Each structure stands twice: as structure tokens, then as C-alpha cells.
Amino acid sequence: LKQDKETKTKSNNMMNGSNSKPSNGAAAATPHHVDAHPDFLSRVKFRKASPTDILRCIDLAKASTIEFHPPIEGTSSKNALQYRQHHAAPYFRCAAYRFEDEDEDHDEDHIIGFVSGIRLAKMKSDDDLVQTRPHDPTGPILAIRSVVVAEEYRGRGLGMTMIKSYIHKMQKLNETSLEHPIYKIVLLCKEKFLLSYLDCGFSVQRLAQISEKKEETGQQSPPPAQEQKLYYLELPLISSPTATYENGSRTINQSELDCFIVDSFASAPGGGNPAAVVVLPANFDPRMKKKWMQTVAAEFNLAETAFCWPKGSRKRSDSMASDGEESNSSSVASRKESHWNIRYFTPTVEMPLCGHATLASAAILYQTLSPRLLLPSTAIVFHASEDVLTMRLAEKDAPSPRISNLSMVFPPKPPTELSTRDEKATVRNMLKSAFSIDLEPLFLGLSDIGDLLVELKPEAFNEIGYDSLNYKAFFEWDGYYRGVVICCVATNEAEADAVETENEEEDVEQVQVDFLSRFFAPKAGINEDPVTGSSHCTLGPYFSKKLGKEKVVGRQMSVRSGIIECHVTSDSVTLTGTAITTMNGRLYM
């Protein structure tokens, strides 16, 4: 496809329709007059086509000798255009022009070009791009059916400008208002227009294969693509070469994603619970990338990997213009909340909730986004698969730009006590197999995030070691599906009345601890989790009620260890902890 500059210029001119003549004696549908000003494109508005625009579009199509794609007759018939405007209105856009000498009070503009398309659920063959197909509003494929430029405006850059505007609008729809995003734009193209479409971001996939058969009209289809040299082109939107965070806050390369490792609930690097964080573009679609996220999480091989990306509004707001164009009347930083989607994966499965990965994700956003985009006073609201989680900086002035002290609001997940003797006996046998000691639990209960909570006496808690544990035993009971939380009230005998934590200046701070815990989750691919934020949605309410305190502090007694402060109300659990970024880089998967 490499051609010299002269040939490329010729291709662009052809796409914009220079030196074209009406075919079959069709007269050009001409507006009042033609603006010969070289900067006429500045007076062109690209907007959604209305029902009153269709007659003009039909006239343009009849007079046109240059249907850029697909180059098959009938794709711009009256019935086809009316169907698309009615059923696929967001994907039918026109170029409207207002002449300089028109009365400013005169609202009418002049349609001088249009692009129309429909969405498809899937493509069985290239015939789907040239034959009659219904519009599927949930389809991931946007098939462009017609691109037409008024004859008198060809050769002036309108065609390429119109296509680029169309692509930009589809990207915006993906980010702001489409419940079912567009995965890619596809079309058929003649060889002479290839370079023009490549300039617009399309890529050539193959020589198109079009069947020779009659349409419903009874007309014979044109010669096959091999004779016409038709090419199948694609432009991905979900995995666009360049994508942005919310409102242009940051440009990234989709093939090189920002990734980080953060120690959550840590008092120093190497403590707490490490989580990987991958920051994604706003048009990321988790439904189409679940397998990819699982692969990345397995590559990091940490207890949890979090994937977060800006959450676009599904509804039009006051900041949206009538045709969905964004208003610049308010800055991103003026918002009280910044909304983000988040998903969690262990090396083997997806999890509905993860506290330490949520803490890590919020820390990365506060540490990496500029104050113009995310003020320290702005709350981050994460939308997980089942819950909405609000994060705030607990301390505005951190000792290091890599350290963040954050609080996060979770829904409480208090445990419900096991009700039958058989269940309790089965759990006791499971614990005996796992720890090789007889245990007499003070309490056995289940939370609605799939955890089994086991309270022991402090002496029994201390008897559980760290070596030679039988993790396979945790599969013996099917009554829970995530993890087993072993806990006790903190006492002097448990050596946890006070825990020393060090800051950057190596000062020592005494932290009063109320309870201890450990978290085992072989069913989630983790033998023992270093520090588990989400389990404290259960531990916090449980020990708050048991000890009669609104604020309780827990220490998770893993080898790495970590401290979590829990402030409990009737409808929320606020967890506070420190996150320390230990690594950042680029993901090439």
C-alpha cells in the first residue's frame, strides 16, 4: 500500500469526490449556491440526521457517482435511508452547511453530505455489509453502509473530515451514553480509496468475498469483489490505538497500559498485602475482556489484581449538549466525586469485592492524576460488580508521594451464625484437618460475601502455626465459597495489645489493637492472604458489637502483617489504612 505523495494526494481527492460527473443522467441536487471560500469547512456542522433531512440525503444519493462504501448499488435507496434514520438514528450523521450571507435568524441549514450505518450482532460473511440486514442496537459491530458527498463540494476535504468526525462521535458515544458499546467499525472500500481510509485510522484486513446472487429486489448483484478490488476494513473502538482517561485527562497507548504494585495496609514497604493495579481507558469493556483480565492477574500472580477505568455516564446530564456533545462549562476537578469502574481477579478466579485492591487502586489515582483532574478533597467512587465503594484521603499531607493514607466506605457484611449441629461439626472437623489441632470455636458464622468466620479463644488462636498447614482441608465443606476467617479478641497473651509501626523518620507509634485475624482462601487460589480488607466488612461489625465500640482496630497476623482501622455504623463500615506504591511500569499484554 506504499505509494508516493502524488498518488496519495490523488487518493484523497478521489475520496472527496473530485472530477466526478453525475451518472445515468441524474441531476445533482444543488443547494442555493456553493461557497467557494477555501475555509468553508469551518462553517460545516456535523450532526445527527433528522427525519426532515432524509429527502435531501436521498437526492444526494441519487446524484452521487461516489458511494465510497460499500460500492454496491442499493445501499443508499430511499427505503434503506429511511430505515436507518428511524431505527439507527445515532449512527446516521450528516454534514450541514450554513452560508455566510444567510440571515442569522434563519434556522435552516443545507445538507451537503452524510454517513450512515447500522449495528450488527455478528458477521457471517462480507455479504452482511452489502445485503439487507436489520439494525441490532446491542450489536458490537458498526457497519458503515453509505458515505455520500454533494458533487459541488467534492475535492475540498469534506469526505475525510466527515469520516473523522463520525469516528470521533462514535468514540464519544462509547464513553458516555451507550449501554452496549461498539467494539469496531467495519466497511468495504475500493482500492482507490484505501490510503484515505488508512489516514482515518482504518486497517485493511483482507480482500472482500462477495457472493454473486440476486437481492430481494430481483436485481443482479455487481461483479464479485475480486474483480472490483474491494477490501474489508476495520477500525477498533474498544482497543483503539489511542484512548483517554476521563475528559482527556491522560492519553495512553492501548498496547502499553500503566500498571503498579501497591502494599496495602502496610506500615513499611514489604508489609501489608500487595496488589497489582492496571489503569485502563474509559472505553474498556469488561464483558469482552474477562479472559484477558484473568490472564493478566495470573501473570502478576499476586493475591489480587484490580482493573479500574473511568465510568462514563449512561444518561445525558446538564453538561451534555442536545446532540450529546460535551460542554466545557465545568472542570473535572470541580466535581465532588470521581467515578470509576473496578474489577478484581485472583490468579484463578474473579472476585466480587477486595478491600486491599480497592485501597491500592485509590492510592494510585490520587498519586498519579494531577490536582486539575482529581483534587485531594474529591472522593473516588468505585463501581464494583455488586457494590459501590467510596474512597477518600484520610490525610492530605503524606510523608511521601508514594504513600497514601486512605479511608474507604464499604457496606457492612455481618455474619449469620450457623444454625445446625451437623454444619458446626463438619466445620470443626475441617479445622482439625487443616491445623492438626482440636479447636472449640466460640462462634461460627457466614457472611454474604462467601466467608466463614470462626472466633477462637486467644490461646487457641496462638496455637495455629505457619508451617505444615493442610490447605486442601478447606475444600471439605461446601457451605462457604470464598475464605475462612480465623479471629480472636486481642489480649496480652496474644502479644497484640500494642503494635509498633514505623514512619519515614523511624518514629514509633503505638496502635491499640482490638482483635486479631488470619484469612485462608484456597478456594480462591490463595492459601493465606497477607491482609484482607473485605473480610473486615464482617470482622468490623462483629467485634464492634461484641466489644461495644464504634471504632475497632484489627491486626491480620500473616507473615507480612497489616493494620486496619474499622469505624462501624448501622449502614456502613469505614476502613482506614496506608497504601505504599512499590513498583510501576508498563503492561505489554
Side-chain angles (χ1 to χ4, degrees):
L1 297 177
K2 293 182 178 179
Q3 298 185 15
D4 58 27
K5 184 175 181 180
E6 180 180 354
T7 305
K8 182 174 181 178
T9 301
K10 180 179 180 182
S11 173
N12 290 342
N13 287 339
M14 293 177 71
M15 178 174 178
N16 291 300
S18 60
N19 302 321
S20 300
K21 296 180 181 180
S23 61
N24 301 325
T30 307
H32 300 162
H33 59 275
V34 178
D35 190 339
H37 194 282
D39 192 29
F40 88 102
L41 287 174
S42 64
R43 296 184 62 82
V44 176
K45 177 183 178 182
F46 300 98
R47 59 171 175 80
K48 186 167 65 176
S50 67
T52 57
D53 297 325
I54 296 303
L55 290 179
R56 170 62 179 163
C57 291
I58 293 170
D59 289 340
L60 288 178
K62 288 180 180 179
S64 177
T65 61
I66 180 167
E67 284 187 292
F68 299 157
H69 53 77
I72 306 294
E73 294 181 0
T75 56
S76 295
S77 66
K78 177 180 179 180
N79 289 341
L81 295 180
Q82 288 178 329
Y83 174 87
R84 286 175 224 152
Q85 195 284 322
H86 181 73
H87 294 282
Y91 316 107
F92 196 141
R93 298 185 64 79
C94 59
Y97 185 75
R98 183 184 297 276
F99 295 106
E100 288 186 310
D101 56 356
E102 280 191 339
D103 185 352
E104 292 185 359
D105 295 331
H106 186 60
D107 291 334
E108 183 180 0
D109 51 23
H110 305 280
I111 306 303
I112 59 176
F114 67 88
V115 182
S116 69
I118 60 172
R119 293 181 66 168
L120 303 173
K122 59 182 178 180
M123 284 182 54
K124 295 181 179 179
S125 69
D126 293 337
D127 292 332
D128 291 329
L129 295 178
V130 299
Q131 296 177 6
T132 302
R133 294 289 183 269
H135 169 67
D136 182 347
T138 66
I141 303 170
L142 174 58
I144 295 183
R145 305 301 297 251
S146 301
V147 179
V148 175
V149 174
E151 182 181 6
E152 60 273 17
Y153 286 96
R154 295 174 193 163
R156 304 179 65 184
L158 178 60
M160 287 188 67
T161 304
M162 189 164 59
I163 289 292
K164 289 179 179 180
S165 171
Y166 188 88
I167 294 168
H168 177 73
K169 182 60 183 178
M170 296 305 107
Q171 291 171 332
K172 284 294 183 183
L173 288 178
N174 255 3
E175 296 172 8
T176 59
S177 60
L178 292 181
E179 182 175 358
H180 302 280
I182 301 167
Y183 183 68
K184 60 184 176 181
I185 302 176
V186 303
L187 58 90
L188 296 184
C189 173
K190 293 180 181 179
E191 186 173 15
K192 60 185 178 181
F193 301 133
L194 277 178
L195 290 178
S196 296
Y197 281 108
L198 293 179
D199 280 349
C200 292
F202 286 88
S203 61
V204 179
Q205 301 297 309
R206 60 180 178 272
L207 189 65
Q209 303 289 330
I210 305 297
S211 303
E212 286 190 84
K213 59 182 180 180
K214 294 184 179 181
E215 288 289 303
E216 296 177 359
T217 59
Q219 297 178 347
Q220 184 71 29
S221 63
Q226 287 78 1
E227 296 181 20
Q228 290 198 52
K229 290 288 186 182
L230 306 183
Y231 292 87
Y232 172 78
L233 275 59
E234 286 186 359
L235 188 148
L237 293 186
I238 294 298
S239 56
S240 172
T242 57
T244 60
Y245 290 3
E246 190 174 23
N247 290 339
S249 62
R250 189 173 182 180
T251 301
I252 64 173
N253 189 323
Q254 177 69 17
S255 63
E256 300 180 12
L257 297 168
D258 288 335
C259 60
F260 307 83
I261 293 180
V262 181
D263 289 342
S264 295
F265 305 113
S267 57
N273 199 352
V277 178
V278 180
V279 185
L280 299 160
N283 57 3
F284 180 76
D285 185 359
R287 297 165 299 178
M288 297 182 179
K289 294 291 187 178
K290 183 174 181 178
K291 184 177 180 180
W292 175 82
M293 288 189 285
Q294 187 65 74
T295 301
V296 172
E299 183 75 8
F300 278 113
N301 199 30
L302 294 174
E304 295 282 348
T305 297
F307 300 86
C308 56
W309 65 100
K311 181 176 177 60
S313 173
R314 295 298 184 191
K315 297 180 180 179
R316 298 183 189 276
S317 64
D318 293 339
S319 62
M320 302 293 288
S322 60
D323 194 28
E325 305 297 341
E326 292 190 59
S327 169
N328 294 323
S329 59
S330 61
S331 65
V332 177
S334 66
R335 302 176 184 174
K336 294 182 179 180
E337 297 178 343
S338 179
H339 289 258
W340 292 72
N341 293 298
I342 192 167
R343 296 295 183 271
Y344 314 97
F345 284 80
T346 74
T348 58
V349 295
E350 181 178 7
M351 304 301 291
L353 184 66
C354 178
H356 84 274
T358 307
L359 190 82
S361 300
I364 290 305
L365 296 181
Y366 280 120
Q367 291 172 14
T368 61
L369 295 183
S370 71
R372 183 180 65 83
L373 303 165
L374 182 64
L375 290 172
S377 59
T378 300
I380 296 175
V381 180
F382 284 116
H383 296 259
S385 58
E386 298 179 3
D387 293 297
V388 178
L389 316 167
T390 302
M391 311 288 299
R392 287 183 173 86
L393 282 175
E395 296 178 3
K396 304 300 188 293
D397 298 321
S400 166
R402 297 185 295 104
I403 300 176
S404 299
N405 192 31
L406 303 114
S407 63
M408 47 187 172
V409 180
F410 283 88
K413 307 289 184 180
T416 301
E417 187 171 9
L418 298 186
S419 58
T420 69
R421 291 182 179 180
D422 289 343
E423 285 181 321
K424 292 179 179 179
T426 302
V427 170
R428 283 195 295 269
N429 290 333
M430 178 184 72
L431 297 176
K432 182 177 180 179
S433 298
F435 303 129
S436 301
I437 54 176
D438 286 317
L439 296 173
E440 292 296 330
L442 300 177
F443 177 88
L444 293 172
L446 287 171
S447 73
D448 61 5
I449 55 175
D451 291 343
L452 169 67
L453 186 140
V454 180
E455 185 191 2
L456 302 175
K457 293 181 179 179
E459 309 83 56
F461 183 92
N462 276 345
E463 289 182 22
I464 299 175
Y466 296 89
D467 300 322
S468 303
L469 301 183
N470 179 17
Y471 297 108
K472 292 182 180 179
F474 290 106
F475 291 91
E476 292 179 4
W477 187 54
D478 295 330
Y480 76 101
Y481 62 84
R482 195 178 81 138
V484 176
V485 184
I486 309 294
C487 61
C488 74
V489 173
T491 65
N492 288 330
E493 288 75 13
E495 297 179 355
D497 267 354
V499 178
E500 295 183 351
T501 60
E502 298 180 2
N503 62 19
E504 290 291 298
E505 288 76 29
E506 298 185 358
D507 292 332
V508 177
E509 178 186 358
Q510 300 296 321
V511 178
Q512 188 69 33
V513 173
D514 297 295
F515 64 89
L516 309 178
S517 69
R518 293 176 70 178
F519 187 85
F520 303 93
K523 287 186 177 181
I526 306 163
N527 286 337
E528 181 172 4
D529 199 31
V531 188
T532 314
S534 58
S535 68
H536 286 71
C537 296
T538 302
L539 289 164
Y542 179 77
F543 282 102
S544 173
K545 181 178 180 181
K546 184 180 182 73
L547 302 176
K549 301 169 65 174
E550 288 187 358
K551 174 184 169 184
V552 289
V553 177
R555 180 185 186 188
Q556 193 154 328
M557 298 292 291
S558 64
V559 173
R560 294 174 65 103
S561 187
I563 302 292
I564 302 180
E565 179 184 302
C566 311
H567 187 274
V568 181
T569 66
S570 59
D571 58 358
S572 68
V573 181
T574 301
L575 306 181
T576 301
T578 300
I580 303 174
T581 301
T582 59
M583 188 182 304
N584 76 289
R586 309 291 287 170
L587 180 66
Y588 298 107
M589 295 179 66

